[in-house]
């Protein structure tokens, strides 16, 4: 029961739902720097707050990002992913014009696919440790 310290409650339910999400850049271009990832984390925290979700852990490398999200059962994970990818793509391309030149034809930052894994098998601390150990670009 040590892993379930942050049990959340809704109006009619009690829950602990975590998902490990991975988003990859279009064509696996290596475009992110540490500044991009810091700003992306802020954007994704704001989007999660809009959905009443919690971004527990965030990290990434130069061509992909890992997120650990705690979300309520009323949120469809596919809708959350759609908003996370759409808002982050739009805002990053507006704020960092150098990203636009990589994607001048595609007009999108992220690949159309993503990975979503429910975090139940391994302890949550192991997933957090894995995400923390990503090789963040300098």
């Amino acid at each position: 029961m040590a892993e379930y310290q942050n049990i959340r409650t809704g109006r009619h339910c009690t829950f602990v739902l975590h998902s490990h999400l991975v988003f990859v850049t279009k064509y696996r271009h290596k475009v992110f720097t540490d500044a991009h990832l810091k700003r992306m984390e802020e954007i994704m925290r704001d989007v999660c707050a809009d959905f009443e979700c919690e971004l527990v852990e965030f990290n990434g490398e130069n061509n992909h990002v890992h997120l650990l999200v705690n979300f309520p059962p009323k949120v469809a994970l596919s809708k959350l992913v759609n908003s996370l990818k759409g808002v982050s793509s739009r805002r990053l391309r507006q704020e960092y014009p150098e990203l636009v030149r990589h994607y001048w034809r595609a007009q999108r930052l992220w690949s159309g696919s993503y990975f979503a894994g429910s975090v139940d098998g391994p302890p949550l601390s192991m997933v957090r440790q894995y995400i923390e150990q990503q090789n963040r670009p300098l």
Side-chain angles (χ1 to χ4, degrees):
M1 198 68 177
E3 286 293 321
Y4 299 121
Q5 294 173 352
N6 297 324
I7 294 176
R8 295 175 61 186
T9 58
R11 193 168 186 176
H12 300 285
C13 63
T14 303
F15 58 92
V16 178
L17 295 173
H18 287 89
S19 183
H20 176 202
L21 303 173
V22 181
F23 305 150
V24 178
T25 58
K26 188 91 171 156
Y27 311 123
R28 298 277 299 189
H29 284 183
K30 297 178 180 186
V31 296
F32 297 140
T33 63
D34 190 48
H36 295 132
L37 293 173
K38 284 180 183 175
R39 179 62 181 133
M40 189 182 315
E41 182 175 4
E42 294 171 7
I43 292 168
M44 291 191 173
R45 283 195 189 281
D46 292 342
V47 172
C48 284
D50 291 343
F51 277 84
E52 299 177 14
C53 298
E54 177 190 3
L55 183 58
V56 178
E57 193 66 45
F58 176 91
N59 206 349
E61 295 185 5
N62 53 12
N63 65 354
H64 70 278
V65 295
H66 291 263
L67 295 85
L68 182 61
V69 180
N70 181 356
F71 62 98
K74 67 181 180 180
V75 173
L77 195 56
S78 60
K79 300 274 188 199
L80 175 63
V81 167
N82 189 25
S83 291
L84 286 168
K85 289 171 70 174
V87 171
S88 63
S89 175
R90 185 172 54 255
R91 288 194 185 160
L92 284 173
R93 286 185 292 117
Q94 287 171 349
E95 296 175 18
Y96 297 98
E98 69 271 13
L99 292 177
V100 176
R101 69 184 166 91
H102 287 283
Y103 302 105
W104 63 271
R105 180 178 260 166
Q107 292 299 313
R108 53 183 65 87
L109 180 62
W110 300 111
S111 166
S113 59
Y114 62 92
F115 168 80
S118 63
V119 181
D120 185 34
L124 196 56
S125 58
M126 288 180 63
V127 176
R128 287 185 78 167
Q129 181 182 5
Y130 172 75
I131 293 172
E132 288 171 357
Q133 291 176 349
Q134 294 296 303
N135 294 326
R136 194 173 192 133
L138 300 174

